[in-house]
Amino acid sequence: MSGETPMAGDFPSLLAARKLTPWPASAESAPVQTQATTVFAFHFAEGVLMAGDRRATAGNLIVTDRVEKVIEIDATSLLAIAGVPATAFEMARVMQTSFEYYRRSQLQALSLPAKVRALARLLRENLPLTMQGVGVVAPLFAGLDQSVSPAQPRVYFYDPLGAQFQTVDYVASGSGSGTIRSILSFQERYGQPRPSEMKLGEAVKFALRLLMVASEFDSATGGVNPAARSFATLKVLRASGVETISDERQEEYLK
């Protein structure tokens, strides 16, 4: 190779010396990501209600209307996912396993600050995929603060890089979140009753109507359609623990 240009010692230099061009990676050939969107949570008179529609999309296609986007992590914490379900569901499984392992090995549950940081750490570990534009997750987390008496539910939201923030009244994430936040803000300021003053039945009906409105402006939000037996995932966190609002109860509250 005495007559050739010296190589820097890396693979691109070798290709250039041999006048070879690497096969270009095309973004158009990448598979379309499945996305799950539109989750929200707000404080009501008895605790925190966390809700999500059940639609998952891939580009302009509806993949399914049966996704459970609000996940019970343990007896005192909930996770709502917005983003790529494959990544979010794996984060939920890791949290469920690690929280249960800690409880069994230390004979006590993790504190709420430790749980909040655990999710932030998982999001930071997902940073390489986030920076590539794949595997992005922007979740919501609700947990029971047992350092005060009586115990109080708290709600946190995260950005895809792992920054965590506590919300006082309400929060939403996903493609339909803009509409939902606007209605929540208006209702909290000027409505009667305010979300924070609602009883369970009022809060459930209000949450279902929020999804109905959001679905009118966002095709990625599944909404609620009692005639088609299509409802939301609704879970309530109180000092006593987690309660799931079944489809039958949702239908009854709407009536």
Side-chain angles (χ1 to χ4, degrees):
M1 297 181 60
S2 57
E4 299 180 7
T5 303
M7 291 184 296
D10 57 14
F11 187 63
S13 298
L14 175 62
L15 292 175
R18 300 298 182 187
K19 296 182 173 57
L20 299 174
T21 303
W23 189 268
S26 173
E28 296 179 355
S29 63
V32 179
Q33 295 183 79
T34 301
Q35 297 280 347
T37 63
T38 312
V39 291
F40 61 95
F42 62 87
H43 289 267
F44 70 109
E46 303 171 31
V48 164
L49 187 146
M50 185 170 278
D53 76 311
R54 291 178 175 170
R55 174 164 293 179
T57 59
N60 65 319
L61 300 178
I62 298 174
V63 176
T64 179
D65 277 325
R66 290 294 181 266
V67 178
E68 298 290 333
K69 301 178 186 177
V70 182
I71 304 167
E72 185 175 345
I73 301 299
D74 61 15
T76 59
S77 56
L78 296 170
L79 177 70
I81 63 167
V84 177
T87 305
F89 290 154
E90 184 61 27
M91 288 181 180
R93 285 190 287 267
V94 170
M95 293 174 67
Q96 288 170 334
T97 302
S98 60
F99 290 5
E100 180 64 13
Y101 175 79
Y102 185 92
R103 188 186 68 81
R104 289 173 179 259
S105 62
Q106 303 300 316
L107 302 181
Q108 62 180 343
L110 270 174
S111 66
L112 179 58
K115 292 178 179 180
V116 172
R117 288 194 298 271
L119 179 53
R121 184 170 62 252
L122 289 173
L123 289 166
R124 285 194 296 271
E125 291 173 354
N126 190 54
L127 182 58
L129 289 178
T130 300
M131 298 302 292
Q132 295 176 52
V134 296
V136 179
V137 181
L140 310 178
F141 182 78
L144 199 61
D145 184 0
Q146 297 177 323
S147 66
V148 296
S149 183
Q152 296 293 322
R154 314 291 188 196
V155 180
Y156 300 83
F157 63 99
Y158 298 75
D159 71 8
L161 302 184
Q164 64 203 41
F165 309 91
Q166 183 179 351
T167 181
V168 177
D169 298 315
Y170 55 83
V171 68
S173 185
S175 60
S177 61
T179 300
I180 287 175
R181 279 200 305 267
S182 298
I183 299 173
L184 280 167
S185 176
F186 179 88
Q187 188 71 17
E188 187 63 39
R189 291 184 182 185
Y190 311 111
Q192 290 297 330
R194 297 176 178 178
S196 57
E197 300 170 341
M198 293 178 177
K199 299 298 184 182
L200 178 60
E202 295 172 318
V204 170
K205 185 186 297 185
F206 180 55
L208 294 174
R209 288 175 173 173
L210 283 172
L211 286 172
M212 288 177 178
V213 175
S215 67
E216 294 179 4
F217 298 96
D218 174 41
S219 61
T221 301
V224 175
N225 184 0
R229 302 292 302 165
S230 176
F231 295 94
T233 302
L234 299 183
K235 293 184 184 292
V236 173
L237 177 63
R238 301 187 182 93
S240 57
V242 175
E243 177 186 1
T244 299
I245 308 299
S246 66
D247 292 356
E248 290 73 22
R249 291 180 66 189
Q250 292 180 42
E251 185 176 23
E252 188 63 30
Y253 283 128
L254 280 177
K255 291 180 181 178

